[in-house]
Amino acid sequence: MNVKQLDLSRRTIALAAALIGTVSLVIGAHAALNMRAIDAAKAVSTDQITGSIGQTSRLALVIGNGHYPDASAPLTQSINDARALSSSLRKNGFDVDMVEDATKDDMVRAVNRLKSRIKRDTVVMLFFGGYGVQAGRESYMLPVDAVIWKESDVRRQGVSIDGVIDMMKEQGAKAKLVVVDASRRNPYERRFRSYSHGLAPISASDNALILSSASPGKVVDDGKGEHSVLVSEFLNNLSAKGSAESVFNKTRVAISRASEGDQVPTVSSSLLEDVHFDAAGG
């Protein structure tokens, strides 16, 4: 091998070594960046998880339906009740979605919005004021665009209260609070051959608390006040300190006494822990 060949070989080796070194640096830098990205992602994930611990979200869906085409007069109390209750719940730390004069599509969308936001630590409340009808031993909230001529229309056009409660349970809600002010004599009852007055019993599934304006199968007439009797008493007791179960029971007792037993709301509970309306109470 002559001198020129030897010099060429040395330069080739040097270039190869430099190229290998550069590639190694690139690979090393890429790996380092990947590790940093993975570590950063873990940090964000950990922050999100630890940040949610101990933070109980509080959601409420409030529906007030008053203007039904089949009714002889609007239910003005239902709208007033929804607005007043929404205001009170917001003051108590609830994130409230309020819907007035909701059609079937409005109600379905509202329930879906609620569903998308429920987490395992969420306290969820549902309020419905308007007309309710029982069909097949199940109670349905009626939208303002419902066209009811037979019992099957109720199941098709109404929104099942039990179905909404089941959804809350499936989403893992911490607690489920339900107030139903719909035991009114509705404009559809004469269209049914076999008709059941009032609402059916609403079962309190796991960790649920339910208040209905009357006993199962009973109907009540609206008074002349700005708010229904149920919501008036409920708001009075909501401002007092105490558990949600205490608020519901005090409301039931107050209405029963004021009406001398003519109107006896129903309270059913399967709560496993104390739940408070005021944010400071838990």
Side-chain angles (χ1 to χ4, degrees), residues 51-59 93 120-124 174-175 282:
S52 65
I53 294 175
Q55 296 180 1
T56 301
S57 60
R58 300 155 71 82
L59 302 175
R120 61 179 175 81
D121 64 342
T122 306
V123 173
V124 188
K174 177 183 178 181

Side-chain angles (χ1 to χ4, degrees), residues 38-282:
I38 292 171
D39 290 341
K42 287 181 178 178
V44 171
S45 178
T46 302
D47 287 343
Q48 289 174 340
I49 293 172
T50 56
S52 65
I53 294 175
Q55 296 180 1
T56 301
S57 60
R58 300 155 71 82
L59 302 175
L61 171 57
V62 176
I63 302 173
N65 284 353
H67 295 83
Y68 290 85
D70 284 338
S72 58
L75 301 174
T76 56
Q77 289 181 340
S78 296
I79 304 295
N80 294 336
D81 293 344
R83 293 174 181 175
L85 183 58
S86 295
S87 177
S88 183
L89 290 174
R90 289 188 179 108
K91 291 177 182 177
N92 282 285
F94 279 80
D95 188 348
V96 181
D97 184 2
M98 184 183 72
V99 186
E100 296 181 8
D101 283 335
T103 64
K104 173 67 178 291
D105 287 345
D106 292 334
M107 292 176 72
V108 170
R109 283 194 293 266
V111 170
N112 286 335
R113 285 196 300 270
L114 181 67
K115 179 180 179 180
S116 69
R117 302 183 64 193
I118 296 175
K119 298 179 175 59
R120 61 179 175 81
D121 64 342
T122 306
V123 173
V124 188
M125 180 170 175
L126 168 68
F127 169 81
F128 175 73
Y131 285 125
V133 175
Q134 63 167 297
R137 298 182 181 180
E138 193 168 345
S139 295
Y140 292 83
M141 303 177 285
L142 293 187
V144 294
D145 62 346
V147 180
I148 307 295
W149 288 98
K150 52 187 181 296
E151 187 172 326
S152 59
D153 293 334
V154 176
R155 290 190 292 269
R156 186 177 65 256
Q157 299 197 31
V159 175
S160 166
I161 298 172
D162 295 276
V164 176
I165 297 173
D166 288 343
M167 175 276 289
M168 296 177 183
K169 178 181 177 180
E170 290 168 2
Q171 294 301 107
K174 177 183 178 181
K176 301 167 283 292
L177 311 175
V178 179
V179 177
V180 181
D181 193 6
S183 298
R184 295 177 168 90
R185 191 176 303 280
N186 64 70
Y188 315 107
E189 62 181 61
R190 294 182 180 178
R191 301 174 182 177
F192 293 27
R193 288 184 178 178
S194 59
Y195 179 78
S196 298
H197 290 287
L199 300 181
I202 304 171
S203 60
S205 61
D206 298 344
N207 217 19
L209 179 64
I210 299 169
L211 170 64
S212 185
S213 55
S215 303
K218 301 292 184 180
V219 295
V220 295
D221 295 324
D222 285 340
K224 296 181 179 180
E226 180 182 3
H227 300 290
S228 71
V229 175
L230 179 75
V231 172
S232 292
E233 292 296 341
F234 185 73
L235 290 172
N236 288 339
N237 288 290
L238 191 59
S239 60
K241 300 295 182 182
S243 67
E245 194 159 356
S246 173
V247 172
F248 278 39
N249 283 323
K250 287 179 180 178
T251 299
R252 178 180 60 83
V253 171
I255 293 173
S256 178
R257 288 176 177 173
S259 67
E260 297 182 346
D262 286 340
Q263 180 178 353
V264 183
T266 298
V267 174
S268 55
S269 174
S270 62
L271 287 181
L272 303 176
E273 58 188 293
D274 278 345
V275 177
H276 294 75
F277 281 103
D278 59 298

